[in-house]
Amino acid sequence: MKRRQPTERLFTRQFIALGISDLAYFTAVGVAIFALPLYVTGPVGGDEVGAGFAFGVFAVSALVLRPFAGRIADVYGRLPLLLGGAVLAAVSLALIALAEDLFVIVALRLLAGVAEAAFFVAGFAALADLAPAKRLGEALSYNSLGLYLGIALGPPLGEILVQAWGFGIAWLGAAALAALAAALTLLIGETREDTSADASPDLSPRRIIHRPAIPISIGFITSLVAIGGFLTFASLYAVRIGLNQASLALFLYGTVVVVCRIAFARVPDRLPSLPLGAAALGVIGAGLGLVAVWQTPVGLLVGVVIMAVGVSFSTPAFFSAIFSTATPSQRGAASGTASAALDLGLGLGPIALGLIAGPFGIPWAFGTGAAVAVAGGIWTLLLQRRTRQRQPVDVA
C-alpha cells in the first residue's frame, strides 16, 4: 500500500515531529560548536590548527558516506537512517567526555560524521517526501529552523554547562539531546513510498551521485566554507577580542537566521533560486569580511547579523535549485549529493581556514572565507546565465 501523496497542507504531524527531532539533534551540535574549539585549545592543549582539524574532520566520513546514505534511504527507507544516525551521534558525543588527546577526539569526530551522513540525508529526503511540491522552499525554510535554533540555543547551553560543571557534563548533555532526537524519529515513522511489509526493496541500479546537482552544489560549497570557518572560530575569537559572553555571537547568528526564515519563509518559492543564492553569497561575504576588518566586539556582532541574513536565504535557495533537478525516485540521491556539498564546505572550511588562522590569525581566516563566498556568488551568477542561454526561445 502506498503512502498517501502529500497535499497542500504543510504542517502535518510527521512534518512537525521531523522539525522537533532536528531541533534536539542540532542543539546537541550547537553545544559541540561552542565547546569543541575551547576544549581542544584548553584541556587538550592544542592550537587553532588542531581545533580546525577536529571541527572539520567529521566531514571526511560524512562525505564518503552521504551518497551511499542517499541510496540506502531510497531503497530501504528514511527511518532506519534517522534513528541510527541520532544514536551514533549520542555515542560519539558521550565518549568525547572521556577523551584526553586530540587523536581520540578526531576518531570520535569521524564517528560523528557517520551519524551526520545518515541523519541529515534521511532528514532531507523525508522532508521532500512530506512537503507539497509547490511549497518545498517554504518547507525547507521552516524545517531549517530546527538546525538554526539548535545553533542559537546550543552554544549558550554549552557555555552554561561548561562554566557550572565542566566540559564533561557539557558533552554528556549534548549526548542526551541526540538520544532525544533518536526517540523523536519514531514519531515521524517512515515517509518513503512503497514501504509495506510485502513490498520488495527496489535494488535496480541507480546513481549514488545526482549529476545535475553538481554545478549548483559548487556555489553552495563556497557559502559553507565561509560559514564553517566562522562556526569553528567564533567562540575562540570572541574570547580573544574581549566579548563577555563567548556564546553571544553564535546565539545571535542562529537567532537572526531563525527570524529571517520565519519572516521570509515563502521568498525562496517566489524568486529564481540561483540569483537568490548568488545574492545570499554576496551578503555572507560582506558580513564575514566586516568581522575580519572590524576587530572589536561590536564589529563581530554587526558582521554576524549581516552574514546571518545571507545564510537565511542561501540554503533554501540552493536546495530548491538542486531538488528541482530530481524526480521523486531520485530525491535520496539528490539529497545525498547536496548534503555532500555540506561536508565539503563544513569540512574544508574549518581545516583550510584553520591552517590560515594558525600562522596569520583568525581575522585572516575570516577574510579568506569572505573572499571564497564572493567567488561563489560570481560562479552562481555565471551558472544562471548559462542556464538561461540554453533554454529554447519561443518564436511563435
Side-chain angles (χ1 to χ4, degrees), residues 23 26-27 30-31 33-34 145 147-160 230-231 234-235 238 243 245-260 300-301 304-305 307-309 312:
L23 175 60
F26 289 109
T27 301
V31 172
I33 288 172
F34 171 81
L145 295 181
L147 189 159
Y148 288 102
L149 275 172
I151 292 177
L153 299 176
L157 175 61
E159 187 170 23
I160 291 170
F230 165 74
L231 294 177
S235 57
L243 189 63
Q245 292 180 301
S247 64
L248 180 59
L250 289 167
F251 174 78
L252 185 61
Y253 168 81
T255 300
V256 171
V257 174
V258 167
V259 170
C260 289
L300 172 61
L301 298 180
V304 164
V305 170
M307 182 181 66
V309 171
S312 302

Side-chain angles (χ1 to χ4, degrees), residues 33-44 51 162 167 232 235-236 239 246:
I33 288 172
F34 171 81
L36 187 63
L38 297 174
Y39 189 57
V40 170
T41 58
V44 176
V162 169
F167 282 103
T232 303
S235 57
L236 189 58
V239 170

Side-chain angles (χ1 to χ4, degrees), residues 315-337:
T315 301
F318 281 108
F319 266 87
S320 292
I322 288 168
F323 276 121
S324 70
T325 67
T327 65
S329 65
Q330 297 170 334
R331 284 171 179 165
S335 177
T337 303

Side-chain angles (χ1 to χ4, degrees), residues 376-396:
I378 295 171
W379 163 265
T380 305
L381 285 176
L382 293 175
L383 183 62
Q384 167 68 11
R385 179 176 296 180
R386 287 199 301 269
T387 302
R388 279 194 304 185
Q389 288 174 346
R390 290 173 183 171
Q391 291 177 344
V393 178
D394 184 3
V395 296

